[in-house]
Amino acid sequence: MSGFYMCIVLVPVFWLMALFFALGGEKAANWLSGFHWLPEEERARYDRKRMAADCRNDFLLWGAILFLGALGSVWISGYAALVAYLVWAVLFFRNVHLDMDKAFGKYKK
């Protein structure tokens, strides 16, 4: 049962973050890590709407994965939560970049 709680506790957090990026639109992109440090004239060169949409989709996907892990840990085995966390970790670290060009390069106008 601990696998269920480990997964389900993050589901509302991720879905609330998805709602934040969905409702915030272009303004929500300013909250992305590292992006708010750029000068305003450089931030104008990026497609903030697409950035917010991608973040929204990431948070929705992460929440769905952990929700399925929570259900799987109840119905199948506690190891389903471990599998869900491993899948989430792979997807999360695939999006982590220390270089600004790698992090935001695909959003340049």
Side-chain angles (χ1 to χ4, degrees):
M1 200 62 169
S2 64
F4 171 79
Y5 292 114
M6 288 175 53
C7 286
I8 205 69
V9 73
L10 286 177
V11 172
V13 174
F14 286 151
W15 286 348
L16 284 173
M17 290 298 296
L19 184 64
F20 170 77
F21 280 101
L23 297 177
E26 293 183 24
K27 290 183 181 182
N30 291 330
W31 287 90
L32 292 173
S33 178
F35 188 69
H36 64 277
W37 293 106
L38 294 175
E40 181 59 40
E41 51 278 349
E42 189 170 343
R43 277 188 267 165
R45 295 185 209 143
Y46 291 91
D47 186 359
R48 294 182 204 182
K49 191 173 185 177
R50 189 170 147 222
M51 291 170 76
D54 282 354
C55 282
R56 177 202 63 211
N57 293 341
D58 286 341
F59 281 118
L60 284 173
L61 177 64
W62 297 345
I65 288 168
L66 291 180
F67 184 73
L68 291 175
L71 292 180
S73 69
V74 170
W75 291 340
I76 301 169
S77 167
Y79 290 110
L82 179 64
V83 171
Y85 264 96
L86 289 174
V87 170
W88 171 79
V90 168
L91 293 175
F92 175 78
F93 286 111
R94 193 178 72 186
N95 287 337
V96 173
H97 302 288
L98 299 176
D99 183 27
M100 291 291 278
D101 285 333
K102 286 184 180 180
F104 304 118
K106 66 181 180 179
Y107 301 111
K108 281 193 175 180
K109 291 182 182 178

